[in-house]
Structures are given as C-alpha cells and as structure tokens.
Amino acid sequence: MAGSPAAKPLSVEAASAQLLAAARTIEGSERLPTSDCLGRVLAEPVISGTDLPGWDNSAMDGYALRAADLQAGGGWLPVSQRIAAGQCGTPLAPGTAARIFTGAPLPEGADSVVVQEVCEPEGDGVRINAEVAPGANIRRRGEELRAGTEVLAAGTRLGPQHLGLAAGVGAAQLRVYRRLRVAVFASGDELAMPGDSLGPGQIYNSNRFLFRALLQALGCEPIDLGIVKDDREATLAALGTAAEQADLVMASGGVSVGDEDHVRPAVEQLGHLDLWRVAMKPGKPFAFGHIGETPFIGSPGNPVSLFVTFCLFARPFIERMQGVQDAKLPTPLMLPSGFALTKPAKRRDYQRARLEFDGAGQASIQRFHSSSSAALSSLTWANGLVVIPPGATIAIGDPVAFLPFAGLVPGDRGL
Ligand code: AMP
Ligand code: MG
C-alpha cells in the first residue's frame, strides 16, 4: 500500500519516473494571436509558409556588383541604381554597381556586395578599395530554411525567441493547449494570511503565495481554495470541490503521519494514493494519488519542502500535462565544494546552495548555514541546490552535484 507508514520510501528517480509515467496531456486547445502566446505550449507544429530569406539579399550596407567587373584590389564603377530595404531594383547593368542596404533584394546579375566601409563615392560612381570575392555579403534565398519546413514542434513552450521565429515565417496565430487548471489549498489550523493579525501559535501562509507564483510562472490557471482547517470533513469537501473543478489538485501540509494530518487519509477515502514518501530531505512525506480521474499532488507543509518537491516532481508532471515534450529533470553540474561535511545524512539531501566565484573566477559551491526546511530565507539566499548522497562525507574541493535554480525553478532569472 502506497499510503502505509510501513511502506519503504521510494528513491527520487523511482518517484520521478512514476509521476512522469502517470502524467496525461490535457485535451483542448485554442487558436490565439501569436503575440498572446508567451509561455504557452504549442498544440500544433508551426510550418514555414516561406523560404527564409525569401530572396537573395544584402547582408550589409554597401554596393552590389559583379565581382568580375573589378580588377584585383578593386576599381571604379558607375552607380546605376539605389536599392533600400523594402524596394526591388532592376537587373544590374553590366559594368555598374548598385548602392544597396541591409536586407534589400540583390538585383539580378549581381553576385556580391562590398561593404561601404571599403568604398568611397567618386563622381557618379564608387571607388572600391578591396578585393571582392563572388558571393560576399549575400544571404541566399532559403539558406536558413525552406517553405514547408517545421520550424517549431508541437509541445514547444513558447519563449520570446519562438514567437519571433513564428512571426518571421508569417504565423499570425498559433494553436496552443488551453491553460492547465490547478486547484490549490493550504491545510493547517495554524495558518493566517499576511495582513491578518497573528493569533497565538499562528504563522503566515507562505505556501499559498509559493503555489500561486510557481503555477503562474508555469502558465497555469491557479484555482485558489485558500486555507483548509485540520479537519477530516473540511478536507474531504475541499478535495472533492478541487477535483471537480481542476485538471490537477495540489495541497500543502497534512500528508505526514500526525493525528492532525488529514489530507493523506482523505485522498485515500475519496480515491487512492499511488505514491507516498520519497527518500529525500526535505520533502519526504510527498504524496501523489488520484481522486477519480484527477491527479493529486500533496506537498509537505514546510515551505522549503514544498518548493523543492514542486521543482523536482510537480514541475515536470505539470509540464507533461501541459503538453511539453521535453519535461525532464535538469542535469546537475559537478563543481568543487566550498564546504566540508563530516556528519553523513541518512537520506539524499537537497541543501540550499550558492554557486560563487572567487577573484580568479574559480567556482565553488557554498551551502546555507541551516538545513531547516522551514527557512524560506535559505531559498532567497540560494541560487541552486546541492545534492548530497546518503552516507557521504565531503571535503573542501570535492566535486559536488549542483542543480542551478535556472532550469529548475519556474520563472527563475538565472545565476
Ligand atoms: P505539516 O506538513 O502539515 O505537518 O506541516 C509541517 C510544517 O509546515 C509545520 O511547521 C507547519 O506549521 C508548516 N506549514 C504548513 N503549512 C504551511 C503554510 N501554508 N505556510 C507556511 N508554513 C506551513
Ligand atoms: Mg499541518
């Protein structure tokens, strides 16, 4: 039984593989203006309607000519026409040059462009003070790609560069998957909202903000069910509503083994748990199950545990549900440790870490002074996680596995 406290925690790899295998891409897509598609996932490939470039054109501001009309070292040619970007010239008269600008179509008969920096206007012509090789400074029709080529595959998450390319091949609209609806709630009698006054024993509900921001950064539509009390009936009601409204249900807290942990037993009552507990720190009581057809992900209540398990497990799962084709874990970088570890951990430990550089540009990995999974300040200090295998001791300079937040944390802006 996945939910039994006696069951052995799964390895991180086994848990990842089980989640990814269970993720089903949602049905339903919409056609949107290309400019509204940032962060969305393509449901259909983008096929180029044109050759790129569409015609031979000049890569520089300069003069278009026939290389054979010049002697070695250059020469003088009359200028017979002027072609700016957006204009089409006429066939180039033999023995003449055309003034031409970047992106303008090459006139028929010309075979090269000389950059203006090596030219001097002289009379009604131009003196060229350089050797000119045929084909110089010309972008050939179709040299980047041909009409009919698939330029973006279905399942691509659209960043600015993808939108630029789609527009460049003439796509005014794109078919993207509809937004994934994710219902979230935070369980815990101790939770209060920022802005409320804290009663005795109360803490602020960080997880609501973490969930919402992580989901928004992934392009999901969060359905926020707020705070749910540590009470079986309230938890059953929240889970039932969530599963009806959403493609995925996520909750924080209440998945451990305490008497006040109602989320896990409530999921088992309404549906079933497929996975519970992963051999890692933080994040051990991570839970995955189904309520009817709707998948459920339960994160431990500690904010750092939620953050780490979201990035490692929920993110690839959500991406696959969204239709992303290459949803996978980032590859760790092996870098020298800037800290020593003498007391080995029992479980694989994902400590908050920072890639730092000394004056000579040498990289080292530092870790946060505390490994408390309640310490959110560790996450704002860090720019990644250092992965410490169970039983390992580490000396300064030993290679350690570092997972940068860029590539791990939705919306992270890099190191
Ligand atoms: P639980 O997983 O419910 O046992 O909670 C573990 C720890 O996380 C407890 O110290 C909780 O107070 C804390 N916690 C639970 N939910 C939240 C939340 N939404 N925001 C901040 N801390 C939380
Ligand atoms: Mg709790």
Side-chain angles (χ1 to χ4, degrees):
M1 271 298 291
S4 149
K8 209 168 161 263
L10 248 62
S11 70
V12 170
E13 286 71 20
S16 291
Q18 190 178 332
L19 266 126
L20 275 186
R24 301 273 167 273
T25 297
I26 48 168
E27 308 253 324
S29 62
E30 54 190 328
R31 222 174 150 69
L32 294 178
T34 300
S35 55
D36 291 348
C37 290
L38 181 64
R40 303 295 290 269
V41 180
L42 271 181
E44 269 175 10
V46 177
I47 311 290
S48 179
T50 77
D51 289 340
L52 268 192
W55 10 262
D56 292 356
N57 69 90
S58 177
M60 304 296 263
D61 293 337
Y63 293 85
L65 46 78
R66 288 181 184 81
D69 286 341
L70 294 174
Q71 291 87 45
W76 181 90
L77 293 174
V79 175
S80 54
Q81 60 178 317
R82 185 178 188 280
I83 315 167
Q87 296 175 346
C88 285
T90 54
L92 186 70
T96 74
R99 179 76 169 115
I100 197 163
F101 298 90
T102 306
L106 197 72
E108 200 185 305
D111 63 11
S112 31
V113 170
V114 197
V115 295
Q116 63 189 21
E117 285 79 355
V118 298
C119 301
E120 285 167 72
E122 196 182 295
D124 52 4
V126 60
R127 176 148 310 278
I128 294 145
N129 303 310
E131 196 84 29
V132 178
N137 300 313
I138 292 172
R139 299 181 192 135
R140 293 284 175 203
R141 172 180 185 159
E143 79 177 18
E144 183 182 350
L145 57 94
R146 291 288 180 188
T149 306
E150 179 179 303
V151 293
L152 294 170
T156 303
R157 166 103 56 202
L158 297 165
Q161 65 274 42
H162 304 101
L163 299 186
L165 175 58
V169 300
Q173 296 181 323
L174 300 173
R175 181 160 291 283
V176 293
Y177 286 104
R178 67 172 174 79
R179 283 189 192 278
L180 190 74
R181 287 190 295 269
V182 185
V184 285
F185 64 87
S187 78
D189 284 349
E190 71 278 36
L191 302 177
M193 288 300 288
D196 294 346
S197 56
L198 285 181
Q202 284 199 303
I203 58 166
Y204 290 122
N205 180 4
S206 296
N207 293 350
R208 185 177 190 181
F209 295 80
L210 282 174
F211 263 146
R212 211 185 155 82
L214 288 164
L215 291 169
Q216 281 174 338
L218 280 173
C220 300
E221 182 187 319
I223 302 172
D224 191 343
L225 301 178
I227 296 168
V228 174
K229 289 280 178 202
D230 287 326
D231 166 86
R232 176 68 76 96
E233 291 311 315
T235 307
L236 287 169
L239 284 171
T241 310
E244 264 170 35
Q245 293 182 8
D247 302 305
L248 167 67
V249 178
M250 298 190 77
S252 81
V255 288
S256 197
V257 288
D259 293 345
E260 296 299 340
D261 289 320
H262 296 285
V263 176
R264 187 174 53 84
V267 171
E268 289 188 298
Q269 186 174 329
L270 292 176
H272 56 95
L273 274 187
D274 302 298
L275 178 165
W276 181 58
R277 300 203 302 173
V278 182
M280 64 186 290
K281 187 183 167 219
K284 185 178 169 199
F286 179 82
F288 171 67
H290 283 84
I291 300 165
E293 293 290 300
T294 312
F296 164 83
I297 291 177
S299 307
N302 270 312
V304 175
S305 311
L306 180 150
F307 189 85
V308 170
T309 54
F310 190 104
C311 294
L312 290 177
F313 302 123
R315 175 194 171 132
F317 184 83
I318 287 172
E319 287 181 325
R320 195 158 283 191
M321 285 193 86
Q322 290 177 312
V324 175
Q325 279 314 303
D326 60 351
K328 56 182 181 312
L329 281 181
T331 312
L333 309 175
M334 295 308 292
L335 290 163
S337 177
F339 63 90
L341 180 89
T342 49
K343 195 168 155 268
K346 288 203 195 67
R347 283 175 273 147
R348 188 188 295 177
D349 200 350
Y350 290 85
Q351 294 196 10
R352 274 67 70 208
R354 193 146 88 175
L355 169 58
E356 289 186 349
F357 297 92
D358 67 14
Q362 283 298 319
S364 69
I365 300 300
Q366 306 295 336
R367 63 174 175 161
F368 194 63
H369 59 79
S370 152
S371 64
S372 162
S373 49
L376 267 173
S377 51
S378 67
L379 290 174
T380 58
W381 174 88
N383 58 19
L385 299 171
V386 59
V387 189
I388 300 172
T393 56
I394 295 168
I396 288 180
D398 283 355
V400 283
F402 177 72
L403 288 171
F405 280 165
L408 185 69
V409 178
D412 188 81
R413 284 175 304 171
L415 292 172

